[in-house]
Amino acid sequence: MDGHIVKIISGTRTYAEQAEIFAQGRTKPGRIVTKAGPGHSNHNFGIAWDIGIFKNGDYLDESSIYEDVGKIGKQIGLEWGGDWSSIVDLPHYQMPSKLSLAEVRQSFENGKV
């Protein structure tokens, strides 16, 4: 990754923050960046994050390095948004879970996570 810096740029989000991101490209300007509304993103439960790649201090929105980093993430057992088909999300990573998203959400909303 020669001279590039990888940083986590988005981690846990509140339902309100997820609603703001979900509105983007729908009821607010910008491109659609998520299909997950509030309570339907693993970001809401502290088990997902997005990375950013930087070169000379500049954020690279698009770079083949996201795919290189994705391979590393998968090698260490993370789920990678680059493998998704409905919306490919190269900067996204999450912890694998044996629970469904609905089960994680229910545990979170019941104060168990």
Side-chain angles (χ1 to χ4, degrees), residues 21-75:
I21 293 169
F22 185 75
Q24 188 175 315
R26 293 176 175 87
T27 59
K28 293 188 172 194
R31 63 183 174 93
I32 291 176
V33 295
T34 185
K35 292 180 88 174
H40 295 272
S41 169
N42 280 321
H43 283 278
N44 298 140
F45 313 116
I47 58 174
W49 58 94
D50 297 325
I51 65 163
I53 297 174
F54 297 80
K55 174 81 173 188
N56 299 322
D58 294 324
Y59 171 70
L60 304 179
D61 187 36
E62 295 184 19
S63 170
S64 62
I65 296 170
Y66 284 98
E67 293 179 24
D68 296 336
V69 176
K71 291 174 188 172
I72 295 168
K74 288 169 47 171
Q75 286 174 352

